[in-house]
Amino acid sequence: MAPSFTARIQLFLLRALGFLIGLVGRAALVLGGPKFASKTPRPVTEPLLLLSGMQLAKLIRQRKVKCIDVVQAYINIIKDVNPMINGIVKYRFEEAMKEAHAVDQKLAEKQEDEATLENKWPFLGVPLTVKEAFQLQGMPNSSGLMNHRDAIAKTDATVVALLKGAGAIPLGITNCSELCMWYESSNKIYGQSNNPYDLQHIVGGSSGGEGCTLAAACSVIGMGSDIGGSIRMPAFFNGIFGHKPSPGVVPNKGQFPLAVGAQQLFLCTGPMCRYAEDLAPMLKVMAGPGIKRLKLDTKVHLKDLKFYWMEHDGGSFLMSKVDQDLIMTQKKVVVHLETILGASVQHVKLKKMKYSFQLWIAMMSAKGHDGKEPVKFVDLLGDHGKHVNPLWELIKWCLGLSVYTIPSIGLALLEEKLRYSNEKYQKFKAVEESLRKELVDMLGDDGVFLYPSHPTVAPKHHVPLTRPFNFAYTGVFSALCLPVTQCPLGLNAKGLPLGIQVVAGPFNDHLTLAVAQYLEKTFGGWVCPGKF
């Protein structure tokens, strides 16, 4: 299935166009972008900001810390840091302070003991941020689409309601890419988010505002949605934890845009956080009744797990080569697992991984059970009303007149070219089924797979336009419907986060979450920006 000459020419032209657009974008950033005295925020010094959600909840339940002090500490750092990173795009500080005061009043009455409080409200008083694509009552819910900018959520998304019901206090909503379909979080409503480890670098997408907000200690727990890596790429680029659950476990209701048809199966909502110990408790809350499909309370003996690893996709002509920094970091993990943990570790070569991008396109081309075609991205741009002509929008964009971002215009232009015919879909569907069986059989119920999160560390702003297919390193596991935890592994020589994906078989999320906690303990987990 080698690419045809025509396909290679199309790829060259696409990359050339992306390169030119990227140059324009970089020039705009240099000439007109925001200027800051430092390229990273100051290191965090407030002790309350350096505790996990679980630790904060325990201190609040024990009445050793007032909830209002915790929330105020987060408000203070947000006011200081958010102007630099533009992660949170709408605050709800007044409401949050009222909710924190209510928590303190409840605790002052001492009507319930600590165990009862923990059972009822496991995240009592813990600050939370919410991706703008999720409904949070009274807050905007546009996903960065200008045509939808006046939309205000009248209710909460299911996962938001569940976390609020567990006692979490939302501080605000966070930025995303336009319609959640690009891996740089920038749009015409809220602008561009910046990486707290270097403001000239991207935060990833589509849950990038959430990623940089958590990394900058402006929040402790958050949520994202993932259909191609939208939790995992921001978690990787920002050096935090993110988990894409097994499909169908966590409800997706209350998002804009919401996947429909066959794509509903592949969209996953999951937790994002700075500390690995918060992942499983968050997932238990966010899943609601769906948690019964997982085995999160099963004790995992890491030494008995079978570890498999692969350092790149096998040489796809579409993707960049994996950075040596990332390969060496992965090998350090492998050596540690073998020599210190004493686990079984095996290097594998899954040849079909080089078709990762094609498998993701096949997933997005799948028809629904009713035979209907997937919703067209160009229709989403028009918000199912206004007709959008992508070519005309490209011309307008060149003149600075379009209300759409260039990644969205480019996707709308290429949409029909990218969508597979039935024959091509069936060909790659067969590849996907074969690869999934190979992985599932290999992993069983006691195996995990270590795989790069992305070919590079967080690139500079607009560079993704020249490397549009690199997201397939995360996208492939969306197509394969497998649970994945993104784990941070320190910083490279330039102070940018390193990391790795930990993959397990269907509904074996407990394995990846256990490995995440072990890797955090061994390699340090989240590193505070500004300390490099």
Side-chain angles (χ1 to χ4, degrees), residues 340-396:
I340 307 300
L341 183 62
S344 167
V345 185
Q346 182 181 344
H347 182 253
V348 295
K349 292 184 178 180
L350 305 176
K351 294 181 179 179
K352 297 181 184 70
M353 289 294 284
K354 67 182 178 182
Y355 301 116
S356 294
F357 175 72
Q358 291 91 331
L359 301 187
W360 188 83
I361 290 294
M363 173 192 84
M364 296 300 285
S365 301
K367 295 179 180 179
H369 294 301
D370 55 4
K372 288 185 178 180
E373 296 284 346
V375 176
K376 291 183 178 181
F377 184 71
V378 71
D379 291 335
L380 290 176
L381 282 180
D383 205 12
H384 298 283
K386 176 187 174 185
H387 173 71
V388 176
N389 182 326
L391 185 57
W392 177 236
E393 290 300 329
L394 178 60
I395 295 169
K396 287 167 64 179

Side-chain angles (χ1 to χ4, degrees), residues 435-453:
L435 177 58
R436 188 174 194 275
K437 184 179 187 304
E438 187 177 4
L439 263 169
V440 170
D441 289 348
M442 179 182 82
L443 294 172
D445 289 325
D446 61 352
V448 294
F449 179 45
L450 307 178
Y451 193 69
S453 315

